[in-house]
Structure formats: C-alpha cells, structure tokens
C-alpha cells in the first residue's frame, strides 16, 4: 500500500488563483514535510508540520494537518507561473527515513 | 543560504562499473541521507548516516552500495558494480538533527546526480 498519495495528480490554474493539493497517508507520523521539485531538478523543502500541529504558514503557503483523517493539504495563494512544479508530501515516523508520496503536478498559466 | 551540493550532475557509466557519487552536506548538519528517484517514480529512501555509521537502510541498499564520510565535509555513495536498474536520480540530503536527538528535523536535499547505466 502507498504511504503517501497526493491528489489531484495534476492541477492547472491561472496566475493569481489559489492551488490546493492534498496528501493522504496510512500509518502514524511524527511529522509531514512538503517539497517542490521543478522538472528534473532537486527537491526544495517548503514546510514541515509536526503531528501535534494543525496549521502552519510560510509566505504564500499554508499547510494543514488532520491526523484523525491522516491527511494534509498544501495551499498556495495567489499563484505565479514560477510555482509550476511537482509538489510532494513526505512523512516520517520514529525513523529518519522520509516516505514520499506520488506528487501533484501543478501548472500555473500566466 | 547554505545548501547541499552534489557532484557530478550527470554520470554515465557502463554496467558492472563502480561509481562514486559525491555530496557536501550543509556544514552544521549531523545527519546525512541518500535517496533515489527512478524516472517517473517516487523518491525512495536508501540510507541514513549519523555519527560515522549507518543508522538505517532500505532493502534497496544491498551489498553493492556503501556510504562513507571520508573527511569533515564530503559524504559519498558508492555503487560497486552498477546494473541497468540503478539508473536514477540520486539525491543527497542532510538535516541538523534527527531521531536519535529526539526530534525529526527538516531534510534539505541537493540538486541530485543523474546516473545513467548503459
């Protein structure tokens, strides 16, 4: 079974709109991290939310965590063309190993 | 802003050859990792390294793989005899602290080395 599943798999929006991506996981977690990956490039760390936190903000990013539903969401407000990338959630539980989801491909049209 | 660096960015090798992928983690970080991403697939954990020893490894990290911190700055991944299925993007990551320190911290990734085995 997959630990991390993001939905939607792909999302296309216009600049200025908000983008919401969801991540569901199956096991317990200590924390959940969101990453961005531009095509063929490295992973850029966006935000970490711990299991005892419900919401975190960083600039235009807002992450929520609902441990009862085993889900997290990443909201990007006022999106820009430069936000075009794949976004991944990654979970950790009593281990330093991160388990990555399948990712959401976000396309922001100017 | 400090960042993880990796060399080379691309490596092409023949099946059966040894390759060494190099990483320079962020300088004050104590935990180091290797992950890989086969084209079109998820990022997969390979190994974590702390206090000069492997702290955890995945099933992928078999006897063909080894890691080393040869000096105070570099962290390397060696594949002894490459196979076609080793072709992937290999990411190094580091974190300031980790589970053995009682908390899980952000893991910062390098830009990756694209390994192509022919």
């Amino acid at each position: 079974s997959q630990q991390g599943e993001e939905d939607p798999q792909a999302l296309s929006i216009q600049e200025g709109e908000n983008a919401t991506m969801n991540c569901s996981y199956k096991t317990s977690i200590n924390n959940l991290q969101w990453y961005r990956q531009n095509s063929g490039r490295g992973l850029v760390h966006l935000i970490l939310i711990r299991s005892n936190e419900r919401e975190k903000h960083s600039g235009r990013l807002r992450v929520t965590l609902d441990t009862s539903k085993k889900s997290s969401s990443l909201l990007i407000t006022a999106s820009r063309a430069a936000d075009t990338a794949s976004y991944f959630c990654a979970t950790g539980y009593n281990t330093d190993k991160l388990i990555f989801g399948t990712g959401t491909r976000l396309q922001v049209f100017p | 802003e400090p960042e993880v660096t990796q060399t080379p960015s691309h490596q092409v090798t023949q099946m059966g050859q040894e390759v060494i992928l190099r990483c320079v983690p962020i300088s004050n970080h104590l935990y180091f990792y290797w992950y890989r991403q086969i084209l079109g697939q998820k990022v997969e954990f390979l190994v974590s390294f702390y206090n000069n020893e492997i702290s955890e490894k995945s099933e992928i990290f078999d006897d063909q793989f080894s890691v080393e911190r040869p000096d105070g700055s570099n962290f390397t991944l060696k594949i002894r005899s490459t196979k076609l299925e080793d072709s992937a993007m290999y990411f190094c990551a580091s974190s300031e602290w980790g589970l053995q320190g009682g908390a899980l911290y952000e893991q910062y990734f390098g830009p990756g080395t694209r390994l192509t085995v022919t």
Side-chain angles (χ1 to χ4, degrees), chain A residues 2-4 30-31 33 35 37 40-43 45 48 50 88 92-98 100-102, chain B residues 31 33 35 37 42-43 45 48 55-56 89 91 98-100 103-112 114:
Chain A
Q2 307 288 346
Q3 169 65 345
N30 298 122
N31 69 43
Q33 306 188 41
Y35 289 85
Q37 184 180 36
R41 309 287 291 275
L43 294 156
H45 187 273
L48 179 153
R50 301 192 188 282
F88 296 89
Y93 180 62
N94 290 350
T95 171
D96 292 314
K97 170 178 70 178
L98 287 179
F100 280 79
T102 50
Chain B
Y31 287 74
Y33 315 87
Y35 291 79
Q37 185 180 33
K42 290 186 181 186
V43 176
F45 169 81
S48 59
S55 50
E56 188 172 357
M89 181 77 95
F91 293 108
L99 184 67
Q100 293 183 12
L104 295 170
Y105 278 59
E106 292 86 345
Q107 292 186 17
Y108 294 95
F109 284 69
R114 183 167 298 285

Side-chain angles (χ1 to χ4, degrees), chain B residues 75-89:
Chain B
F75 179 50
T76 62
L77 173 69
K78 183 194 291 186
I79 309 174
R80 267 182 264 283
S81 178
T82 50
K83 308 184 188 75
L84 294 176
E85 55 264 36
D86 293 327
S87 294
M89 181 77 95

Side-chain angles (χ1 to χ4, degrees), chain B residues 42-58:
Chain B
K42 290 186 181 186
V43 176
E44 301 173 289
F45 169 81
L46 293 178
V47 66
S48 59
F49 190 85
Y50 167 70
N51 200 25
N52 281 320
E53 59 183 29
I54 290 173
S55 50
E56 188 172 357
K57 60 183 180 180
S58 71

